[in-house]
Amino acid sequence: MAQSDSEKKQDPAERDEPEPIIHPDLTTREVHRGAHQGDKYVRVVRSDALRRVAPGYLRASEQISRPTRGVGLLYRQLKVWLVGKPLPTIAEKDERLNKLRALAVFSSDAISSSAYATEEILLVLVAAGLLGLPYALPIAFGIAILLAIVSFSYRQTVHAYPHGGGSYTVSKENLGTQAGLIAASALLIDYVLTVAVSIAAGTAAITSAMPSLFAYRVEISIFFIAIITLINLRGIRESGTIFALPTYLFIFMLAGVIVLGATRIFTGQVVHVEPHFEHTTFEPITLFLILHAFAAGSVAMSGTEAIANGVPAFKEPESKNAAATLIWMSSILGVFFVGVTWLANQFGIVPSETETVISQVGRTVFGPGAVYGIFQVATMMILVLAANTSFNGFPRLFSVLARDGFAPHQFLFRGDRLAFSYGIIVLGALAAVLIVVFGGSTHALIPLYAVGVFLSFTLSQSGMVLHWWRLREPGWQRSMTINAAGALATGIVLLVVGTVKFQLGAWMVVLLIPILVALFNLVHLHYRHVADQLSVMRLVKKIATPRQIVIVPIGEVNMVTLRALAFARSIAKEPLAVHITYDANDVEEFRARWKEWGNGTQLVLLESPYRSFTEPLLAYIDALHHQDPDAYLTLVLPEFLPAHWWEHLLHNQTALRLKASLLFRRNTVVVSVPYHLER
């Protein structure tokens, strides 16, 4: 059908004003004439901030995100001082850990539990007086055997899931989505409790040496949480370097305590001392008392799964290095736990309100001198830094949940130092709340502990049994037997721990797990509704192309962006789409998808290796607009609106930030094309 005169008048190609001449690649040629007639040369001008990699492919430099003046500059300088300079995405491989650093990062929680697990056993057995204390060593041996079984089982998991085989992944793939969410909920609760317990225990080590600080234990604990949160925001590699010295200092000092203490006992320098009890009424030795003590001491198992969760953080070969580190960790923990328990029995040590058991052991071996002081500092540091295991596991697990659509997508964000910043900050805040609520008391927090640990253990090992049964690879019978033994052992302990600790506070964990599972399912339902309504697969045919368009930032190819393109063609003849990519490996896949759905619209790919979206796009708009400052530059923003107000919290407000940034720019028009979701 022929166009009417009115339609022809609206055609941009027929207007009196010429279309702006722009160069999407930001590469222009300037003709300069010399002093003599006929002399001329051509100068190629390129953008410094946005470097051309290939036709239609630009890469943002770090300087784009660097403010030059004002409050923004001060904030940036403070952030660099506290967190460090931004790292490009490509530097992620350089951030991986060798076995020595990984032992400090992933094993500090497990190894540090040797500082308080013995005390938890004795706190139960002391109720039976002298008759109860000798049972501490057999209980410690039983827990050490269980540790060996679980560690060997997780070694199987490390090799079977080289990309990270945490309890969530294993359970979800082999037992179903809901089992995976239960494991994830149990682990997340355990990670928060690990931080709170570790920090509280570290504070107790200080107040044992300096009783005058006991009244300030909550404030000291919150201070430690803030410090360790800040260190983790600096990135996994740097935190590993920072934590290596305290971890190995504690290993060296506690090994010295055990060796020197055993030497003095065997040479007769220390004579067995009968413990003194302030009370004279004791409970009888019962099976329940023994099981209660076993459940209390099982906190020594916490952190065993951390290495299986963090396999991708290791240097290549990831599985081999992770498996070796796991064996180192379990061996050190087993020796330390049994050794401290044996020494406590030999020295006649009983728990005290003002001094920890490990402090009493160290003071008995070293005496009240400088070496004892160094040992207490090392104990305090390892207990505080034990929380670092959770600061690596919690954000990583939440990012996996976010990737699968069960947690807000904000937890996928990596900060300037390639750390999962949102997860780290949320973990620190939750742990601080627990410290305040429970008054910084380790003994008040311990009953909540271990239920989530053994629940995730049991689900993970059960999932591995089905994994081997389904694949039946060479040697599957042996591997399945190992994991079946681990599932059986941890399942029995789970029943014991859950029964014994239920009335002591574990009921809160049992109640919280289904609440978290329900929340994860609600979040997933929302994201599924969003994906269903935005999917281009709902189209029967491609959207008809009206006449018009300008610049459209493209995130994903979905109903929102395609509709924005259709609208933009109503105001400009030739569209220009800009896609910000954070990973060069995704470029070809996006190009192929754009070729199918872009309907011939010109595409500019802008790589942002520092993972910022707004700054590279604004820099591109500025550079494009600089080519013709008098032209109106219209930015068409694709934007979807959730059906309920609270669902806005589950999405990044990118469009809002862009509107605010472009509000006062000359000859710049921002048009939002909303897409309203129905549910």
Side-chain angles (χ1 to χ4, degrees):
M1 182 182 293
Q3 288 181 314
S4 65
D5 291 341
S6 60
E7 287 177 321
K8 288 182 179 179
K9 289 179 182 178
Q10 299 303 317
D11 191 336
E14 300 293 329
R15 294 173 185 164
D16 294 334
E17 297 181 5
E19 287 289 315
I21 301 174
I22 61 173
H23 302 274
D25 282 351
L26 306 183
T27 301
T28 58
R29 289 174 171 81
E30 297 178 353
V31 179
H32 295 265
R33 300 188 179 278
H36 301 88
Q37 186 175 5
D39 289 350
K40 67 177 181 179
Y41 63 92
V42 178
R43 181 188 176 192
V44 178
V45 181
R46 296 185 176 90
S47 171
D48 293 329
L50 301 170
R51 298 186 179 92
R52 182 177 182 271
V53 179
Y57 188 173
L58 306 175
R59 178 180 293 132
S61 63
E62 181 190 355
Q63 67 188 61
I64 287 179
S65 304
R66 189 184 301 163
T68 56
R69 62 180 181 274
V71 177
L73 178 60
L74 293 176
Y75 170 75
R76 185 68 174 181
Q77 290 175 338
L78 177 63
K79 188 176 180 182
V80 169
W81 181 72
L82 291 174
V83 179
K85 293 182 63 177
L87 296 173
T89 305
I90 197 174
E92 184 175 6
K93 285 191 174 182
D94 297 332
E95 289 294 295
R96 295 191 179 188
L97 304 171
N98 56 29
K99 292 191 286 290
L100 290 177
R101 279 199 180 105
L103 185 66
V105 170
F106 290 109
S107 303
S108 54
D109 176 22
I111 293 174
S112 69
S113 62
S114 59
Y116 54 82
T118 297
E119 181 165 358
E120 294 306 315
I121 295 175
L122 294 176
L123 279 169
V124 178
L125 295 178
V126 75
L130 288 175
L131 297 178
L133 296 183
Y135 286 91
L137 191 58
I139 290 173
F141 269 116
I143 295 174
I145 293 171
L146 179 63
L147 172 65
I149 294 173
V150 171
S151 298
F152 209 69
S153 299
Y154 267 112
R155 187 174 180 274
Q156 304 291 109
T157 305
V158 165
H159 288 292
Y161 288 86
H163 299 295
S167 298
Y168 166 72
T169 303
V170 176
S171 302
K172 179 173 177 286
E173 290 190 6
N174 298 285
L175 302 176
T177 300
Q178 297 309 310
L181 292 178
I182 292 172
S185 301
L187 268 179
L188 291 173
I189 294 171
D190 175 59
Y191 283 139
V192 177
L193 287 170
T194 295
V195 175
V197 170
S198 299
I199 295 294
T203 303
I206 295 178
T207 57
S208 294
M210 293 179 285
S212 60
L213 296 177
F214 183 77
Y216 304 99
R217 61 190 183 278
V218 172
E219 292 81 359
I220 295 172
S221 296
I222 293 177
F223 172 76
F224 284 145
I225 290 175
I227 292 298
I228 200 169
T229 299
L230 185 61
I231 292 174
N232 275 277
L233 289 173
R234 296 186 66 89
I236 184 172
R237 186 168 180 263
E238 188 161 342
S239 65
T241 302
I242 294 172
F243 297 151
L245 179 60
T247 301
Y248 288 111
L249 176 62
F250 175 77
I251 291 174
F252 174 77
M253 293 299 295
L254 187 52
V257 168
I258 294 173
V259 172
L260 184 58
T263 301
R264 290 185 173 180
I265 290 172
F266 291 137
T267 58
Q269 298 179 38
V270 176
V271 181
H272 176 73
V273 179
E274 293 294 335
H276 172 70
F277 297 96
E278 296 181 358
H279 56 283
T280 56
T281 304
F282 302 105
E283 296 181 11
I285 301 293
T286 62
L287 178 61
F288 180 80
L289 185 70
I290 300 300
L291 292 177
H292 189 179
F294 184 90
S298 63
V299 295
M301 301 283 293
S302 66
T304 309
E305 80 290 340
I307 291 177
N309 290 340
V311 176
F314 285 79
K315 288 190 173 182
E316 298 178 349
E318 294 91 341
S319 295
K320 182 178 179 181
N321 289 332
T325 307
L326 179 61
I327 297 302
W328 293 357
M329 177 197 72
S330 57
S331 301
I332 294 171
L333 172 57
V335 171
F336 282 2
F337 179 38
V338 173
V340 171
T341 306
W342 177 68
L343 288 178
N345 268 350
Q346 293 296 314
F347 297 156
I349 290 173
V350 294
S352 167
E353 289 187 2
T354 58
E355 185 176 11
T356 61
V357 167
I358 196 169
S359 172
Q360 296 179 61
V361 171
R363 184 164 45 80
T364 303
V365 173
F366 291 133
V371 179
Y372 163 72
I374 296 174
F375 175 64
Q376 280 301 98
V377 170
T379 303
M380 177 272 294
M381 293 176 71
I382 188 65
L383 287 169
V384 170
L385 299 183
N388 186 62
T389 299
S390 293
F391 275 96
N392 280 280
F394 183 95
R396 193 175 296 273
L397 176 56
F398 239 125
S399 73
V400 175
L401 287 167
R403 182 198 64 195
D404 293 345
F406 291 103
H409 288 167
Q410 288 89 331
F411 286 95
L412 285 169
F413 173 74
R414 287 179 179 266
D416 286 349
R417 302 290 293 181
L418 296 172
F420 293 106
S421 303
Y422 280 100
I424 291 172
I425 294 172
V426 167
L427 175 59
L430 291 176
V433 170
L434 277 182
I435 289 291
V436 173
V437 170
F438 289 90
S441 172
T442 306
H443 306 311
L445 290 164
I446 285 291
L448 283 71
Y449 216 19
V451 174
V453 175
F454 283 99
L455 178 57
S456 62
F457 284 170
T458 305
L459 289 173
S460 176
Q461 300 310 307
S462 301
M464 286 302 299
V465 171
L466 293 181
H467 170 83
W468 298 121
W469 176 261
R470 189 178 70 253
L471 295 184
R472 303 198 182 191
E473 298 172 339
W476 67 274
Q477 296 97 333
R478 174 179 172 274
S479 298
M480 189 174 75
T481 302
I482 293 172
N483 287 121
L488 179 63
T490 55
I492 293 173
V493 175
L494 173 62
L495 292 175
V496 173
V497 171
T499 302
V500 171
K501 292 190 174 185
F502 187 81
Q503 292 184 342
L504 298 176
W507 63 268
M508 288 186 279
V509 177
V510 175
L511 179 64
L512 190 56
I513 288 175
I515 293 176
L516 284 178
V517 171
L519 289 175
F520 290 148
N521 280 301
L522 286 175
V523 171
H524 185 66
L525 181 63
H526 166 72
Y527 283 133
R528 193 173 63 195
H529 287 165
V530 171
D532 289 344
Q533 295 175 74
L534 302 184
S535 174
V536 295
M537 301 309 294
R538 301 174 67 231
L539 292 174
V540 178
K541 59 181 180 178
K542 293 184 179 179
I543 296 178
T545 306
R547 305 184 311 271
Q548 301 177 40
I549 197 178
V550 192
I551 295 179
V552 185
I554 304 296
E556 298 178 2
V557 181
N558 54 34
M559 288 294 296
V560 180
T561 55
L562 293 184
R563 192 171 174 188
L565 279 174
F567 173 83
R569 290 191 189 96
S570 67
I571 55 175
K573 183 177 180 180
E574 296 184 0
L576 179 61
V578 180
H579 174 65
I580 309 294
T581 179
Y582 302 138
D583 192 344
N585 297 323
D586 298 333
V587 169
E588 294 304 321
E589 179 182 349
F590 189 87
R591 276 177 170 161
R593 192 161 174 79
W594 185 255
K595 184 177 181 181
E596 179 183 3
W597 293 100
N599 202 16
T601 303
Q602 184 178 0
L603 174 67
V604 173
L605 291 167
L606 176 55
E607 182 183 347
S608 179
Y610 294 91
R611 299 162 303 285
S612 58
F613 178 90
T614 306
E615 290 82 2
L617 180 60
L618 294 179
Y620 181 79
I621 291 172
D622 282 344
L624 206 61
H625 205 182
H626 182 70
Q627 298 177 30
D628 193 342
D630 294 328
Y632 275 88
L633 192 147
T634 303
L635 189 71
V636 178
L637 292 179
E639 188 174 6
F640 70 87
L641 300 176
H644 305 285
W645 66 267
W646 58 268
E647 292 174 342
H648 285 275
L649 300 175
L650 301 175
H651 301 280
N652 296 322
Q653 305 300 322
T654 306
L656 187 62
R657 295 198 302 270
L658 278 174
K659 291 176 190 177
S661 301
L662 294 170
L663 184 62
F664 300 105
R665 293 185 179 237
R666 181 176 176 269
N667 288 355
T668 301
V669 179
V670 181
V671 179
S672 292
V673 181
Y675 188 93
H676 294 267
L677 303 180
E678 299 174 358
R679 61 184 188 278

